[in-house]
Amino acid sequence: MTQRNLSLSKDKINILLLEGISDRATECFNAAGYHQVETVSSALPDDELAERIRDVHFLGIRSRTRVTERVLERAERLTAIGCYCIGTDQVDLAAAQRRGVPVFNAPYANTRSVAELVLAEIVMLMRGIPAKNAAAHRGEWLKSAQGSYEVRGKTLGIIGYGHIGSQLGILAEGLGLRVIYYDVVRKLPLGNAEPVDSQDEVLARADVVTLHVPDTESTRGLIDAAELARMKAGAHLINASRGKVVSIPALAGALASGHLAGAAIDVFPSEPASKNEEFVSELRAHDNVLLTPHIGGSTFEAQQNIAVDVSTKMTLYSDNGSSMGAVNFPEVNLPDHATARRILHIHRNEPGVLQAINHAFSEAGINIVGQYLQTLPDVGYVVMDVETDDAGPVLRRLHDIPATIRTRYLY
Ligand code: NAI
């Protein structure tokens, strides 16, 4: 098991950013005093990454780099991994945790991008634009006001009133929509939005229903034939959340019967892995469906926000030990350690570890002026602020505790 004491000056900390991560990330590291930043425009094959990671303290990746157990085995200096994207399944999170390496991501950096797209889709659907556009591409001229409505005064129903749902609600009110929402958790309404007691009430009252729930066991198949039947005749459905939330055959049925007037779908139960693969969906047959290739959050601004968000989390972890936003590691929010030295201790979460840590300090005769602890079932993270100029003896004792994974010393 890795046992390493990192107390390096910033000019010795190596940062490797892969996959063409926005230059904004390098700017963030530089502004925080980190100048050893190497950038690579592509992902690295396993073997090359395993070789290059030996000297890397902070690694930044997007979705194409696989950080496997084999890569981590060679990553002796690795202190944190930043996923400059939303998902983190490209990293072996458990293996990183076993080595005391937190993994950060940026789950909410593209909230605005999704909300704006959905807002535009509401207008497009209410005007029947998807079908008129498809017809015009075929040379047909569907010049008619039938089935075209202003959004002003209509009801938007939001299912899942989290980051995206609530921001969308505010934007939609600006266009004169009435906003109702349902969330499994009690959420404070923003603007004039009206919380309702059930999903069924949203389905029954809304002219446009939009889904902003996470992908969980309980949200898979959330909207199936029965739910679609509860929607108003002529209503529209938008899904820019996760593909398995809506049953596509049921939706195709509701469109074919004319019960729904249209839909906008950005996410699918099965999506092509690359642009070389064909997009297969029975929704392709329906002109009144706006189909987009999972780009709800894909904008220039979102990429910039992601760069700032993840880099800031990593520099904060490096500078003062705060681990907020880590997905596989105990989250600790630490104040600055102005005059005190700070010792960070990552350990396997076993009985007696804390006692052993405190014992190490009392044996070394060092007074702890602040202590912060957070644990997950398998790993613990304890941070101690101490008043000493000679932390060497206590660091050696901490290394000797069998459950120690690694320590860091900040001065
Ligand atoms: P969030 O976590 O802030 O909000 C989700 C909300 O859904 C929470 O308030 C939660 O309590 C609620 N919820 C959970 N189960 C529910 C249920 N059964 N019924 C009603 N409410 C329920 O998440 P955020 O950031 O707003 O994202 C929402 C969805 O959008 C996620 O699935 C995310 O993966 C997806 N997304 C899609 C993007 C795209 O490119 N299309 C980009 C970014 C996010």
Side-chain angles (χ1 to χ4, degrees), residues 58-369:
F58 290 89
L59 174 69
I61 61 168
R62 293 171 69 182
S63 55
R64 274 173 293 135
T65 302
R66 308 228 73 79
V67 183
T68 58
E69 172 107 55
R70 188 170 154 263
V71 169
L72 288 164
E73 264 165 19
R74 290 167 172 76
E76 288 172 16
R77 294 181 168 75
L78 194 62
T79 308
I81 299 171
C83 295
Y84 286 75
C85 50
I86 314 295
T88 52
D89 27 334
Q90 66 279 41
V91 179
D92 186 335
L93 295 176
Q97 187 193 71
R98 283 196 294 279
R99 288 166 176 79
V101 176
V103 176
F104 298 100
N105 66 341
Y108 304 118
N110 56 11
T111 298
R112 175 70 182 208
S113 303
V114 181
E116 283 191 11
L117 179 69
V118 172
L119 186 68
E121 289 176 338
I122 295 166
V123 177
M124 292 292 150
L125 289 173
M126 295 289 288
R127 296 293 292 270
I129 299 298
K132 291 182 168 72
N133 174 60
H137 279 276
R138 293 190 297 264
E140 298 165 34
W141 194 244
L142 299 188
K143 185 171 162 47
S144 156
Q146 204 183 355
S148 285
Y149 300 95
E150 291 183 353
V151 299
R152 179 171 45 172
K154 305 301 181 301
T155 300
L156 171 65
I158 300 174
I159 296 175
Y161 196 67
H163 288 78
I164 297 172
S166 56
Q167 178 146 173
L168 170 66
I170 291 291
L171 296 177
E173 280 187 5
L175 286 176
L177 280 144
R178 266 189 240 122
V179 176
I180 61 174
Y181 70 86
Y182 171 69
D183 198 294
V184 282
V185 175
R186 204 178 159 75
K187 292 282 172 100
L188 184 75
L190 300 183
N192 298 315
E194 178 196 343
V196 300
D197 291 334
S198 67
Q199 173 176 296
D200 281 355
E201 189 173 344
V202 172
L203 297 174
R205 284 177 53 189
D207 299 296
V208 182
V209 172
T210 183
L211 308 170
H212 299 289
V213 295
D215 179 36
T216 63
E217 245 169 61
S218 63
T219 61
R220 278 175 218 136
L222 190 71
I223 303 296
D224 209 327
E227 289 71 29
L228 294 168
R230 281 186 198 109
M231 288 175 66
K232 279 163 75 166
H236 302 266
L237 179 75
I238 300 177
N239 185 20
S241 63
R242 298 297 289 271
K244 297 203 168 105
V245 173
V246 175
S247 158
I248 298 293
L251 174 59
L255 291 160
S257 72
H259 178 59
L260 290 194
I265 307 294
D266 186 49
V267 288
F268 303 86
S270 151
E271 298 177 358
S274 76
K275 64 178 180 187
N276 302 324
E277 235 177 77
E278 186 181 349
F279 164 59
V280 179
S281 169
E282 54 195 295
L283 295 178
R284 277 172 46 183
H286 296 270
D287 278 1
N288 52 352
V289 183
L290 222 167
L291 294 169
T292 47
H294 201 150
I295 40 75
S298 306
T299 62
F300 174 79
E301 289 81 358
Q303 290 307 316
Q304 303 259 300
N305 292 341
I306 286 170
V308 173
D309 190 11
V310 178
S311 307
T312 305
K313 284 170 180 161
M314 290 212 281
T315 52
L316 196 61
Y317 181 63
S318 180
D319 286 347
N320 94 341
S322 286
S323 55
M324 295 308 289
V327 298
N328 65 336
F329 194 81
E331 289 187 271
V332 176
N333 191 10
L334 298 166
D336 278 347
H337 55 116
T339 53
R341 311 294 197 213
R342 181 164 280 173
I343 294 174
L344 319 174
H345 186 265
I346 305 167
H347 52 266
R348 291 192 299 280
N349 191 9
E350 294 169 0
V353 183
L354 265 194
Q355 202 182 1
I357 293 171
N358 288 329
H359 187 64
F361 278 87
S362 70
E363 286 230 301
I366 292 176
N367 188 31
I368 299 175
V369 294

Side-chain angles (χ1 to χ4, degrees), residues 44-51 66-68 70-71:
L44 294 180
D46 249 24
D47 284 347
E48 196 180 338
L49 181 59
E51 192 47 45
R66 308 228 73 79
V67 183
T68 58
R70 188 170 154 263
V71 169

